[in-house]
Amino acid sequence: MSKNHRGAGIRELPNSGRGTCPICKIDNIKVLYEKEIDGQTVKICKYCNAAMKNKARKAVPATEAAAE
């Protein structure tokens, strides 16, 4: 079976959701994830979003260990 609606939400965005990621500076990449960086809400790419989540996840156990 075909996937008729795959990517339908990003087709309506300007340039089909593609642009330059402000963190890694890769051009013509999908920038779909909104994050707040330095008080501003910016759209970042999938890879930078995952890197930020992993960095935050690793920082939490370190602070819990320091509290004990």
Side-chain angles (χ1 to χ4, degrees):
M1 288 179 50
S2 65
K3 310 284 190 218
N4 293 332
H5 303 291
R6 184 175 290 181
I10 64 170
R11 285 189 213 128
E12 295 152 4
L13 294 174
N15 205 15
S16 297
R18 292 186 178 267
T20 302
C21 179
I23 297 176
C24 62
K25 307 292 190 235
I26 295 177
D27 191 29
N28 202 19
I29 192 168
K30 292 179 189 173
V31 285
L32 303 173
Y33 303 93
E34 289 186 355
K35 289 287 182 179
E36 187 172 329
I37 300 172
D38 297 331
Q40 296 179 345
T41 303
V42 294
K43 290 193 172 192
I44 61 174
C45 68
K46 176 180 179 178
Y47 306 111
C48 293
N49 185 41
M52 290 178 72
K53 281 186 177 180
N54 286 333
K55 187 177 179 182
R57 184 180 53 117
K58 289 180 181 178
V60 169
T63 56
E64 288 177 358
E68 292 176 357

